[in-house]
Amino acid sequence: MAEAPFGLLAELTHRCPLQCGYCSNPVELVRRNAELSTDDWLRVFDQARALGALQIHLSGGEPLLRPDLPELVVHANSLGCYVNLVTSGVGLSRDRLRDLASRGVDHVQLSLQDATREGNDRIAGIKAFDRKVEAAAFVRDEGLPLTVNTVLHRQNLDNIAGIIAMAEEMGAERLELANTQYYGWALRNRAVLLPTREQLAVADPIVSAAQARLRGRMEIVYVIADYHEAHPKPCMYGWGARQLTVAPNGDVLPCPAATVISSLKIENVRDSSLHEIWHNSPSFNAFRGFDWMQDPCRSCPRKEIDFGGCRCQAFQLTGDAAATDPVCSLSPARSTVDLILETEMAPSEVPAMAMRKMS
Ligand code: SF4
Ligand code: FES
């Protein structure tokens, strides 16, 4: 039997005021009229807690767009869960945050697109920078822990020192610097987003120095630009191992991007319980453990470190979700990634960013 998940990522809605081109949500977003009801979410939270989850991440899209957010927070809190609000900061007034904190929000994760107003608002597609700075101040004044999350790519990587300084100024306890992962909408913009080797060579030591300088004050988590690496990331720390995601329409996903694997039959909370789906569904069991692996992963000593990489990336780049992640230098498909790096980073090929909008 699989061990209990640590947490539930509750994607309350795909609606969002921002238009980020790096968005990893699916190309086809869930419409408002297909979103789970309040009662559905209350049941999902009960089931997640009964399954053993102790953290509930209220995410999206922008969770502040759900009018029932206060009720959902109260319920998650009443179950004894640690409640994390994942937000763009747009729509987070001082009063609203105070109310949510009084109802049980324990932590806020705030996105930041870049260190300057101009850069942030260009990447976000709307004027959001000042709202984010204000939102960070409200969180700090309320005494809640703050994580700043910045998705890195070719358009902002040169400003990494400024982003770190900005997170310090905002009073963050934690900064996530996550190189873009190419799923969903982001895959469309890969040629605009892929960082160059030169950018990474400058950024990596800046991050390492900041990690050392800020140890004990602000934790910096750095997610690698895996296309440029010799080994893949340990995606999700293994499939169906630590977390489950419930999409706005109730689809239950072993990882937030799992809908890209078109061969996977996805279960829904309207038809089945989280307990049943987590333990017994074909989708959650498809890549658990090591038995599903092919060579070279099957006989590789790193399999317990990286779990063969990312299943979604393997499917997107090879058509086989059980293949070795093609970013691995041992993968027979590594040449696919090398070709992408070679062609999509040629300066003459750079297209305009396709902004994310719900049509
Ligand atoms: Fe990881 Fe598989 Fe590559 Fe080994 S062969 S390093 S397990 S992805
Ligand atoms: Fe789905 Fe990596 S994003 S397994």
Side-chain angles (χ1 to χ4, degrees), residues 189-341:
N189 284 315
R190 191 173 55 192
V192 202
L193 295 169
L194 268 174
T196 65
R197 275 190 205 294
E198 294 72 27
Q199 282 183 307
L200 291 166
V202 174
D204 290 356
I206 293 175
V207 174
S208 303
Q211 283 170 324
R213 178 174 64 82
L214 294 165
R215 188 159 295 130
R217 254 195 304 146
M218 182 172 82
E219 182 193 5
I220 302 181
V221 179
Y222 188 45
V223 178
I224 58 170
D226 59 353
Y227 278 46
H228 289 276
E229 297 285 328
H231 298 300
K233 57 187 181 273
C235 203
M236 302 302 296
Y237 297 98
W239 184 265
R242 294 195 177 183
Q243 184 168 282
L244 74 168
T245 297
V246 176
N249 62 353
D251 280 352
V252 187
L253 308 172
C255 83
T259 51
V260 306
I261 306 178
S262 54
S263 52
L264 208 62
K265 184 185 171 302
I266 302 289
E267 315 278 341
N268 192 285
V269 292
R270 290 179 163 121
D271 309 317
S272 202
S273 71
L274 286 188
H275 183 278
E276 179 62 21
I277 296 169
W278 175 263
H279 288 291
N280 299 326
S281 69
S283 57
F284 273 77
N285 284 310
F287 310 111
R288 270 193 174 132
F290 302 102
D291 291 348
W292 57 272
M293 287 181 172
Q294 310 166 4
D295 272 326
C297 292
R298 180 183 284 273
S299 51
C300 178
R302 281 187 61 90
K303 70 182 175 194
E304 310 222 2
I305 301 171
D306 64 28
F307 313 103
C310 175
R311 298 306 88 224
C312 298
Q313 189 145 274
F315 182 81
Q316 284 187 149
L317 299 182
T318 73
D320 178 2
T324 295
D325 186 334
V327 306
C328 179
S329 54
L330 302 173
S331 161
R334 172 67 214 194
S335 57
T336 310
V337 176
D338 290 333
L339 187 65
I340 291 166
L341 289 176

